[in-house]
Amino acid sequence: MINISKRLNTLQEKIVETSHLAGRDPSDISVLAVTKTHEKFAINEAIEAGQKHFGENYLQEALPKVAAFPEVDWHYIGSIQSNKTRVIAENFNWVHSVDTRKVAKRLNDQRPKNFPPLNVLIQINISGEVGKSGVTTDNAKRLASEIVELPNLSLQGLMTLPKATTEFAKQRIPFRDLRELRDNIGSTLGIQLPHLSMGMTGDFAAAIIEGSTWIRIGSAIFGPRRKTGDIT
Ligand SMILES: *Cc1c(COP(=O)(O)O)cnc(C)c1O
């Protein structure tokens, strides 16, 4: 059985080491523990080890986990069908994967009135891959300008999920592009976009070097993803 607390410590050590290399303050980098395919006992173990933020990308799978652990912050990081926006607006504090005006508008309208604004990031298809979620860099600024007009959403920054590569120098390119896009949108619209959600188990060091503030980590904390049919 894997030791989640130990894995979180090892991850934190790597974050500290990498931030120092980049001349960054390690406390500016937060870990989003991605729990897809993992059971509640694993989430519980991470909570006991001090982990505060959890991410899921399949709604069906997420809802029972959100209900079981309402005390932590839940982030939705998966693709969004517009008929699912209400349940997302009611159950999550953060959404990293907004990529259309329609979805943004619905999340805004369906956010319960007694809740704080929903923190959102715009997902960017940074390498312009065909068939991939996210807005293109060309359309990102317009979507950002539309979201800032929505009172029940708080635009926090940009998110990306680039094409996987194991080469460090290549990993940095889309992350650098996302940072530059964020800087550009922020300055032309005159808004603060503090967050960059980028980097996963295989590439978080490159993402930290390029300015990530949310690294989304699954396997390095919980071990390999479980497949359906695995004995629990
Ligand atoms: C699964 C997933 C992650 C975490 O992936 P690991 O490689 O296991 O760290 C991060 N972001 C998104 C959007 C994911 O779907």
Side-chain angles (χ1 to χ4, degrees):
M1 163 121 172
I2 54 152
N3 184 334
I4 288 170
S5 158
K6 202 159 144 206
R7 282 166 176 264
L8 280 166
N9 282 336
T10 307
L11 177 62
Q12 195 53 45
E13 282 165 17
K14 287 199 189 135
I15 293 169
V16 170
E17 195 182 301
T18 312
S19 349
H20 288 158
L21 281 176
R24 300 186 57 200
D25 181 344
S27 67
D28 290 341
I29 297 134
S30 302
V31 174
L32 180 61
V34 178
T35 50
K36 64 166 177 268
T37 80
H38 297 287
E39 305 284 334
K40 288 180 194 151
F41 71 83
I43 300 173
N44 193 51
E45 214 175 310
I47 293 172
E48 281 178 1
Q51 178 63 33
K52 301 269 190 292
H53 293 271
F54 291 84
E56 276 281 340
N57 51 350
Y58 303 110
L59 208 47
Q60 291 282 92
E61 191 189 332
L63 294 176
K65 297 176 182 175
V66 173
F69 304 105
E71 73 278 22
V72 296
D73 265 312
W74 285 96
H75 298 229
Y76 188 72
I77 61 174
S79 61
I80 306 173
Q81 291 167 275
S82 51
N83 63 339
K84 296 290 161 54
T85 47
R86 180 178 302 278
V87 70
I88 294 172
E90 288 174 349
N91 284 279
F92 291 84
N93 292 331
W94 291 74
V95 178
H96 291 226
S97 43
V98 174
D99 65 357
T100 64
R101 179 184 134 80
K102 181 181 177 191
V103 160
K105 179 85 173 56
R106 289 176 66 93
L107 289 170
N108 176 74
D109 295 347
Q110 294 167 342
R111 181 71 168 166
K113 295 294 167 257
N114 55 330
F115 283 24
L118 180 63
N119 295 306
V120 300
L121 294 93
I122 298 174
Q123 181 169 354
I124 309 291
N125 181 357
I126 199 72
S127 324
E129 289 169 78
V130 177
K132 190 140 180 183
S133 306
V135 281
T136 59
T137 51
D138 289 346
N139 293 330
K141 195 179 296 171
R142 187 175 43 192
L143 182 56
S145 69
E146 290 162 348
I147 291 176
V148 292
E149 300 300 325
L150 300 171
N152 303 320
L153 301 186
S154 173
L155 182 62
Q156 294 290 325
L158 307 181
M159 178 273 225
T160 200
L161 188 71
K163 212 185 294 178
T165 164
T166 51
E167 227 180 294
F168 189 79
K170 282 197 184 145
Q171 289 175 347
R172 287 181 60 170
I173 297 168
F175 297 145
R176 183 202 59 207
D177 292 347
L178 193 74
R179 169 170 49 79
E180 290 177 355
L181 180 64
R182 185 274 309 268
D183 293 349
N184 182 276
I185 293 174
S187 65
T188 45
L189 299 182
I191 53 174
Q192 288 289 324
L193 294 173
H195 287 289
L196 288 171
S197 168
M198 56 188 199
M200 318 190 346
T201 294
D203 57 14
F204 71 85
I208 290 173
I209 300 281
E210 295 297 345
S212 179
T213 63
W214 281 112
I215 54 172
R216 308 181 310 268
I217 308 291
S219 340
I221 300 171
F222 300 106
R225 280 196 263 297
R226 304 163 71 86
K227 292 178 203 75
T228 30
D230 277 6
I231 294 155
T232 58

